[in-house]
Amino acid sequence: MKALAIHSREDLRWEERTVPEPGAGEVRLRVCFVGICGSDLHYYFHGANGEYTIREPLTPGHELSGVVDLDPSGRLVPGTPVTVHPARFGPETPGLEAHPHLRAGGDYLGSAAADPHRQGGAAEYLIVEEHMVRVLPEGLPLERAALAEPLAVALHAVGRAGEVAGKRVLVIGAGPIGLLVAAAAHHAGAAVVAASDVRAEPLERARSLGASEFFLVGTDTIDDESFDVVFECSGVAPALTQAVRAARRAGTVVQVGMLANAEIGVNLAPMLAKELTLRGAFRFSTEIDDAIEMLAASDALDSVITHVIPASDAVDALTVARDSSASAKVLLSL
């Protein structure tokens, strides 16, 4: 079989591998589509994602869909369409019973956080544990199903904000996650969803997902205290300062974008006088099941997928995915 492997910064290879054999409690999948995430871009272009540095060849990919190839238990028949919850949670921890994704000691497909690394889904065949498999509803296309993981991230972020129905919501950063957060907020009943970005093209994509107000960074002004809830999805320090300014008094800011693992300049002074709630959003727990249901109910999110490129051309795909003017979600086909 073939698999992608990032050996170091800008060193990506389409390698021959032995087809893996599933053990007890495992399922072998024939992978069909893998979404390119921001972490994949960091691993390829920088050799690291935040504090996690590539120390051995890493197969990326945690957003995927495919079909069952072999289930030794016989529970899942070959050809069954599926997606995957990419996390294995750490051991149970007092106080985190409702937050298994926050337990220490877990891992995630396509991550260099662990040593040895947790290999990801950008391979023709993938072995996962049974509990990670999610059977897709009839009629949900495999391409769209590859959005289940990032949509789950978005749904979790919106859930972290509390009740958004009837509220004014701002999404800063209209990349793939920002677009899905906008869609999730609209789905949750937000009265207004606004989007902000440094480029005009992502803002146009946000329009089709329920956004009705738009701010081009450097051109348009976002009034202070003009939104009830602000989702910061760019991971850029000045954007967090903007989020704090844009949130109304007693409002909520949810940090979704991955901030640099470094001392960064952010002005949080307005938090105090406004008594803002600042919350982090990290991956998700069970929201992937809600994401699958949402994807099965409508084709509205198909527009988030702008490119489908063969995995053998992954370098080109990563280059396209890096350019937010040219792309939103880029999928690799295997």
Side-chain angles (χ1 to χ4, degrees):
M1 74 168 195
K2 290 284 192 178
L4 289 174
I6 303 173
H7 286 251
S8 59
R9 177 180 177 179
E10 297 190 5
D11 181 3
L12 178 66
R13 307 176 195 178
W14 184 230
E15 299 180 340
E16 192 69 39
R17 301 276 181 85
T18 301
V19 177
E21 293 296 328
E26 296 180 330
V27 179
R28 185 170 70 203
L29 308 180
R30 176 63 175 91
V31 179
C32 296
F33 297 100
V34 174
I36 294 177
C37 176
S39 62
D40 303 323
L41 295 176
H42 284 298
Y43 283 131
Y44 173 67
F45 286 106
H46 308 296
N49 179 38
E51 61 184 312
Y52 306 130
T53 301
I54 291 178
R55 299 178 295 280
E56 63 180 353
L58 173 69
T59 295
H62 53 261
E63 308 172 3
L64 64 104
S65 62
V67 297
V68 172
D69 183 66
L70 176 61
D71 178 4
S73 74
R75 185 177 68 88
L76 297 171
V77 300
T80 300
V82 299
T83 187
V84 170
H85 192 310
R88 296 188 298 191
F89 300 136
E92 293 186 9
T93 304
L96 294 179
E97 290 82 3
H99 310 283
H101 61 297
L102 299 182
R103 298 175 192 161
D107 61 20
Y108 215 72
L109 289 176
S111 172
D115 191 10
H117 300 338
R118 176 66 161 141
Q119 301 300 321
E124 291 179 323
Y125 293 92
L126 175 69
I127 300 291
V128 295
E129 295 170 15
E130 285 181 338
H131 66 86
M132 301 170 72
V133 177
R134 299 293 189 275
V135 175
L136 300 179
E138 185 176 354
L140 176 54
L142 286 173
E143 278 192 27
R144 192 189 309 157
L147 293 174
E149 192 275 349
L151 180 57
V153 171
L155 291 171
H156 179 72
V158 171
R160 292 286 294 144
E163 183 62 63
V164 301
K167 295 185 177 181
R168 286 179 53 80
V169 170
L170 171 64
V171 178
I172 299 179
I177 286 295
L179 291 174
L180 292 170
V181 168
H186 179 70
H187 182 74
V192 172
V193 177
S196 168
D197 202 274
V198 297
R199 299 177 185 270
E201 296 86 353
L203 296 180
E204 280 303 309
R205 297 184 192 111
R207 188 184 302 276
S208 67
L209 298 171
S212 58
E213 294 184 13
F214 308 93
F215 301 93
L216 184 62
V217 176
T219 300
D220 302 319
T221 299
I222 301 174
D223 291 337
D224 291 353
E225 302 187 23
S226 54
F227 290 92
D228 302 300
V229 179
V230 183
F231 296 95
E232 200 300 288
C233 298
S234 72
V236 178
L240 180 52
T241 296
Q242 176 67 80
V244 170
R245 289 175 177 158
R248 67 164 174 80
R249 293 169 186 263
T252 300
V253 174
V254 180
Q255 183 62 41
V256 187
M258 293 295 289
L259 294 166
N261 182 38
E263 301 295 328
I264 57 177
V266 177
N267 183 1
L268 298 180
M271 273 187 64
L272 282 71
K274 293 198 284 186
E275 291 195 356
L276 296 181
T277 298
L278 175 59
R279 291 178 173 165
F282 182 68
R283 296 177 180 167
F284 56 91
S285 176
T286 62
E287 289 90 347
I288 195 166
D289 300 311
D290 301 320
I292 292 169
E293 182 178 339
M294 186 172 165
L295 290 167
S298 168
D299 63 0
L301 295 181
D302 284 356
S303 63
V304 175
I305 301 171
T306 56
H307 296 76
V308 180
I309 298 174
S312 56
D313 297 327
V315 171
D316 291 340
L318 288 158
T319 302
V320 171
R322 194 185 197 185
D323 183 356
S324 63
S325 294
S327 69
K329 178 59 66 178
V330 177
L331 301 184
L332 300 172
S333 60
L334 291 103

